[in-house]
């Protein structure tokens, strides 16, 4: 069910080569493709100023708990323009998921937008707007999609 989101950037067609910065500003930039495990990933684009993004953040943590036994990672990618605001948000609301920052130029049209990507970084499914990430149908769908994608590679 689509609830709401913040209009912002442009829709993506692939994610594998996206360059990310760690929440630790002293670390070197990394390609998203290097972070995706064999089982695939759920990649959520968000911003600290986006109220719908903040609303769904707790459920993304719960989704991660449900997916980790399947080898599927949940990766959070902020499109905040101001690194200080990004870091301040993370200090106020610590995350136990992998959190990265990318240029606002890499933002999808609507925040939050969440991509299900296979281990090669190819987009399999796109969820635009806030979702009920602990809904069993959504969780099952993500697992099934990534299992099919993994089996096609074997």
């Amino acid at each position: 069910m689509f609830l709401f989101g913040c209009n912002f950037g442009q829709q993506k067609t692939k994610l594998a080569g996206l360059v990310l910065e760690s929440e630790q500003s002293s670390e070197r930039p990394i390609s998203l493709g290097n972070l995706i495990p064999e089982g695939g990933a759920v990649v959520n684009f968000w911003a600290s100023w986006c109220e719908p993004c903040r609303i769904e953040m707790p459920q993304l943590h719960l989704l991660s708990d449900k997916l980790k036994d399947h080898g599927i990672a949940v990766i959070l990618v902020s499109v905040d323009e101001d690194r200080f605001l990004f870091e301040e948000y993370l200090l106020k609301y610590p995350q136990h998921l992998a959190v990265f920052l990318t240029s606002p130029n890499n933002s999808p049209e609507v925040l939050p937008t969440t991509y299900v990507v296979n281990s090669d970084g190819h987009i399999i499914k796109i969820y635009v707007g806030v979702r009920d990430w602990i809904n069993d149908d959504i969780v099952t769908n993500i697992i099934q999609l990534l299992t099919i994608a993994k089996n096609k590679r074997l």
Side-chain angles (χ1 to χ4, degrees):
M1 174 199 323
F2 176 76
L3 298 175
F4 52 93
C6 300
N7 280 338
F8 187 60
Q10 59 185 343
Q11 195 61 273
K12 298 282 169 243
T13 56
K14 60 183 178 178
L15 294 180
L18 186 66
V19 176
L20 306 173
E21 296 179 37
S22 169
E23 64 182 284
Q24 310 299 324
S25 58
S26 60
E27 293 182 18
R28 304 184 106 189
I30 187 167
S31 169
L32 177 61
N34 293 335
L35 299 171
I36 301 170
E38 186 70 25
V42 173
V43 182
N44 176 265
F45 281 74
W46 65 286
S48 62
W49 49 262
C50 171
E51 183 64 25
C53 300
R54 293 193 307 261
I55 288 171
E56 77 170 1
M57 196 68 67
Q59 283 202 357
L60 287 165
H61 287 265
L62 296 172
L63 175 66
S64 175
D65 292 340
K66 290 184 174 208
L67 296 178
K68 66 183 172 189
D69 289 342
H70 297 276
I72 302 168
V74 175
I75 301 169
L76 305 176
V77 179
S78 171
V79 295
D80 278 293
E81 288 186 58
D82 186 332
R83 183 176 189 92
F84 175 76
L85 291 176
F86 166 73
E87 292 173 348
E88 187 177 79
Y89 178 85
L90 294 178
L91 285 174
K92 190 172 181 178
Y93 305 102
Q95 308 297 311
H96 74 268
L97 300 175
V99 183
F100 296 90
L101 182 67
T102 193
S103 166
N105 294 334
N106 294 323
S107 179
E109 289 179 18
V110 175
L111 293 177
T113 292
T114 304
Y115 300 92
V116 177
V117 297
N118 70 7
S119 61
D120 294 328
H122 293 100
I123 297 170
I124 297 172
K125 186 164 180 77
I126 302 171
Y127 294 96
V128 178
V130 174
R131 299 285 183 217
D132 177 9
W133 291 113
I134 55 174
N135 176 291
D136 287 337
D137 291 337
I138 291 177
V139 174
T140 300
N141 184 248
I142 291 169
I143 294 167
Q144 288 174 341
L145 288 170
L146 289 171
T147 300
I148 291 167
K150 183 177 177 181
N151 289 338
K152 283 184 179 180
R153 290 188 64 229
L154 298 177

